[in-house]
Amino acid sequence: MNGVLVSEIRKISTTRLWWIMLICVFLLGGAYALVPAFTAALAQSTLGDPTPAFQVPGTLRSVYNGGNTLARILALVVGILAMGGEYRYKTMATTYMATPIRTRVLRAKALSLMAFGLLYGLASVVAGVLVAIPFVLIKDGSLFLNRGDTWRSLILGVVSIALWTMIGMGLGILIRNMVLAMLVGIGFAYVLEPALTALFFVKQWDIGLNLMPTGATNAMLGVTSPVLFAAQDPFSWWQGMLVLAVWCLLPAIAGVIFTVRRDVA
């Protein structure tokens, strides 16, 4: 298993994709984190809220994980490419010949993608924290780093990106055509799911919102910003993580069932 895992890690680390994505997650994730930060600051200035925005823990959690919106899409893409590339460039047959037990290969690939997903998650959270610091200093707020729920949100922010990488891998397993898998994954993540999430948010249907990947992720992280479509009555963090885990497992299980049975060209 160790040899297979090292091989799968090298498949990712020897390409430029992983560090290009890492830079994108950090820079663009920081830009996305500015949205809830500016929204909170603007609301405080225009509405005259007696409670400063950056003295509310939920506001800081929203800024810390503001880049999650973009980072999880990039993580999804990495997961699809890691699996779909094997089929596109005809390397999967060689991989299975070297390791005939296919489930061992898939476990190693999942572990390697989880490792890189955690790295992307860390970059996203660090970018969010760096964005939050000047707002806290200017608005006389607090980073709330002495609170357990803040650290839980930071840690789960990292974990959530790794889980989204698994969703991408599951799609890559289920749909052998990499281009089609990318279209399905990005179409769902950028068009269908945001549209449904926005609809549920406007209709204030929290159950539907919490069962969507975005709503489940928000519940995991304890974010409260309306610009991130946070539910008014969100699931608890562990319930959100279970829902997101189901979204990871469904395409992966279906893909594995077909993969261990079908021929590889």
Side-chain angles (χ1 to χ4, degrees), residues 14-74:
T14 53
T15 67
R16 290 175 294 193
L17 175 66
W18 77 270
W19 59 263
I20 292 174
M21 284 294 192
L22 184 64
I23 294 172
C24 289
V25 166
F26 182 77
L27 296 179
L28 298 180
Y32 269 61
L34 286 169
V35 177
F38 273 120
T39 301
L42 184 62
Q44 179 182 338
S45 300
T46 58
L47 299 179
D49 193 333
T51 303
F54 292 92
Q55 290 185 13
V56 178
T59 299
L60 269 297
R61 292 195 297 267
S62 298
V63 177
Y64 291 155
N65 291 291
N68 188 285
T69 305
L70 174 74
R72 61 191 182 220
I73 306 300
L74 296 179

Side-chain angles (χ1 to χ4, degrees), residues 121-145:
L122 181 61
S124 175
V125 168
V126 169
V129 172
L130 293 177
V131 166
I133 289 174
F135 283 91
V136 169
L137 294 176
I138 294 171
K139 295 294 185 179
D140 192 26
S142 172
L143 293 173
F144 295 107
L145 295 180

Side-chain angles (χ1 to χ4, degrees), residues 184-200:
V184 171
I186 295 176
F188 175 79
Y190 259 129
V191 180
L192 180 60
E193 201 261 353
L196 289 174
T197 298
L199 176 63
F200 295 155

